[in-house]
Amino acid sequence: MSFAGADFSRGRVSFSGATFDGRVSFDGATFSGGAVIFDGATFSDDCVSFSGATFSGDCVVSFFGATFSGGEVYFAEATFSGCIVSFDGAAFSGGVVSFIGAAFSGGGVRFNHATGPAPDGLIAIRTSAAARITLPSAWQLSNL
């Protein structure tokens, strides 16, 4: 399934409770000025890619309570500016979730009460002065 290049602007799109168990592309998609909700979604068994996606302009993207297990989810080269992206309560177990190469300037990314190992690339995010990053206390020292 492909949402590559899709424009999720000004409105609300919900993937709440969805199961992503095949290859899904959000590559180059734009998330701006609206809300895109993945609350309670399950990401497993293949690849979901947000590579090159842009998260900007006063938007909210929520992965509250989502489960990342056994598959691959990539935010490689994604741009986050002025958008709040929440992984609050998400469970990371098995598979790969990667932010390597992602650029953060303004906005914020939250992982409050997330469980499991920290996703790849969070060290770079933590060192970016422009981004507001909230990590679980277990990730602050032991996993990064």
Side-chain angles (χ1 to χ4, degrees):
M1 180 175 297
S2 180
F3 296 95
D7 186 355
F8 297 97
S9 298
R10 308 269 182 235
R12 181 181 170 94
V13 177
S14 178
F15 294 96
S16 293
T19 298
F20 295 91
D21 60 0
R23 186 167 295 276
V24 180
S25 173
F26 291 90
D27 292 348
T30 300
F31 300 86
S32 176
V36 181
I37 311 299
F38 293 91
D39 294 356
T42 300
F43 297 85
S44 64
D45 295 333
D46 210 328
C47 179
V48 177
S49 178
F50 294 86
S51 295
T54 300
F55 300 84
S56 65
D58 215 16
C59 70
V60 174
V61 179
S62 177
F63 293 88
F64 179 83
T67 300
F68 297 87
S69 64
E72 300 173 356
V73 181
Y74 292 100
F75 292 88
E77 307 301 323
T79 301
F80 298 83
S81 62
C83 188
I84 300 297
V85 181
S86 170
F87 292 89
D88 294 346
F92 297 91
S93 62
V96 173
V97 178
S98 178
F99 288 87
I100 293 174
F104 291 82
S105 61
V109 180
R110 299 187 320 230
F111 292 88
N112 293 316
H113 308 291
T115 60
D120 293 338
L122 286 180
I123 294 171
I125 294 172
R126 282 190 62 197
T127 61
S128 171
R132 292 179 306 222
I133 309 300
T134 306
L135 301 175
S137 59
W139 293 359
Q140 305 245 349
L141 297 174
S142 63
N143 290 2
L144 297 180

